[in-house]
Amino acid sequence: MRLMPTRSLRAYFDHNAGPLMHKWLHYFPIYQQHLRPFRGRRSTVLEIGVSHGGSLKMWRYWLGRRAHVVGIDIEPRVAGLAEPGIDIMVGDQSDPAFLAELARRHGPFDVVIDDGGHIPAHQIASIEALWPHVRPGGIYLVEDLHSNYWPEMGGRRGAPDTFIAWLGARLDDLHAFHSREDDFQPNDWTSTIAGIHLYDSVAVLDKCAPRPRPEHRKTGFPVFDDVYGRSHDEMLDEHHRRQIAAVGRPLRRLGRLVRHPVVTTRRVLARRR
């Protein structure tokens, strides 16, 4: 059995003697938290943005030799950085046809890390094309979201066409099962986003298999006859009534045993004969 590396991602970065990479240091705890479930597993990891190839090697080292790492970039020279366990395709992250071919060749993906051009429109185009090709249980991580506030990248605070604004719409979608508005209903994002994690300049979306409408239930016995102007009879639904009846039967038996121990014991023994 091959042992997993004991060094953290930050330690790998700090002692990097391989190809160049550059990272904001507060990203490393985020990486470790969300990538840890994939360590030692057979998984496919896509990184958008290759640069000099340093991070591709880091992911493969830390996740283990069972990980298949794929990198994409618009720079043709990066094709020469491919090696066993690391594949590279040259193309534009905003090109739907290229992303479709990428998914056909290498998908589905367990992890997608968007460290590409940092242009908000490209971040949106990539996730909309690639999300259907992320496996349930996988994650989609977009970093360097501060670019959404830089005018030279097509961003600014409050702009309606940034990835930050797009993410706000997905936060709405996540809660659409609870909508009371006719024009706000569940969609594919609602059923396949398990959670959204936000950090300084990083967003992580958890993918799930299509989830059903959430179910709300009550259990236990009402303490008061009414609460907030509603009687307990108004608050009890059919499932709650059945739950109370089910847990009440053993309690009633226990009460009989305490009050009439001899008679109750005889009845129990008679049933077992």
Side-chain angles (χ1 to χ4, degrees):
M1 181 179 69
R2 184 180 296 274
L3 297 177
M4 293 299 299
T6 56
R7 285 198 298 175
S8 67
L9 284 167
R10 173 64 189 276
Y12 180 100
F13 179 82
D14 287 342
H15 297 89
N16 177 32
L20 171 71
M21 58 176 146
H22 48 91
K23 293 288 183 183
W24 291 91
L25 299 184
H26 71 278
Y27 288 3
F28 285 98
I30 302 169
Y31 293 146
Q32 296 237 167
Q33 176 182 340
H34 292 282
L35 294 177
R36 185 174 289 111
F38 303 97
R39 294 194 78 198
R41 286 175 42 186
R42 189 178 301 279
S43 59
T44 302
V45 179
L46 169 64
E47 182 167 35
I48 300 172
V50 172
S51 186
H52 294 260
S55 56
L56 297 179
K57 286 180 172 289
M58 179 174 69
W59 306 133
R60 182 98 199 293
Y61 166 83
W62 195 75
L63 292 172
R65 296 177 65 85
R66 300 182 72 193
H68 173 213
V69 178
V70 181
I72 66 170
D73 203 291
I74 58 173
E75 168 57 60
R77 291 177 295 176
V78 302
L81 301 177
E83 60 183 58
I86 298 177
D87 287 317
I88 294 175
M89 289 182 64
V90 176
D92 188 334
Q93 74 170 108
S94 66
D95 180 357
F98 168 72
L99 295 177
E101 178 62 15
L102 168 69
R104 187 190 69 80
R105 289 193 193 182
H106 297 292
F109 305 104
D110 298 281
V111 175
V112 178
I113 300 170
D114 185 345
D115 186 19
H118 310 319
I119 297 172
H122 293 184
Q123 294 166 334
I124 295 170
S126 295
I127 193 170
E128 290 189 342
L130 293 172
W131 183 255
H133 303 288
V134 178
R135 283 193 180 98
I139 65 169
Y140 196 109
L141 184 152
V142 186
E143 60 185 68
D144 295 339
L145 290 176
H146 46 262
S147 66
N148 283 237
Y149 300 93
W150 293 350
E152 64 269 27
M153 303 295 283
R156 63 179 175 83
R157 183 172 64 88
D161 54 354
T162 64
F163 186 85
I164 293 294
W166 181 92
L167 195 61
R170 301 296 78 77
L171 286 168
D172 289 339
D173 289 336
L174 183 62
H175 297 89
F177 279 126
H178 310 283
S179 170
R180 297 178 180 178
E181 303 171 30
D182 291 339
D183 59 350
F184 174 36
Q185 295 299 317
N187 56 26
D188 288 342
W189 295 105
T190 308
S191 63
T192 58
I193 296 176
I196 299 175
H197 312 263
L198 291 175
Y199 308 90
D200 175 2
S201 303
V202 177
V204 183
L205 287 79
D206 297 328
K207 178 76 176 281
C208 64
R211 63 188 178 103
R213 180 176 292 275
E215 185 175 0
H216 177 264
R217 288 187 177 180
K218 309 181 189 78
T219 63
F221 294 84
V223 176
F224 307 108
D225 290 335
D226 62 87
V227 177
Y228 309 124
R230 298 180 64 196
S231 70
H232 67 70
D233 282 337
E234 294 179 84
M235 293 186 290
L236 296 179
D237 55 41
E238 189 57 35
H239 180 272
H240 192 186
R241 294 179 192 278
R242 290 198 302 269
Q243 189 268 339
I244 288 176
V247 299
R249 282 191 290 271
L251 293 176
R252 287 196 295 273
R253 292 184 189 126
L254 180 60
R256 286 195 298 267
L257 179 61
V258 172
R259 292 191 302 272
H260 310 289
V262 176
V263 174
T264 303
T265 302
R266 286 176 179 170
R267 286 177 179 171
V268 172
L269 293 175
R271 289 194 189 109
R272 294 185 176 180
R273 289 174 183 159

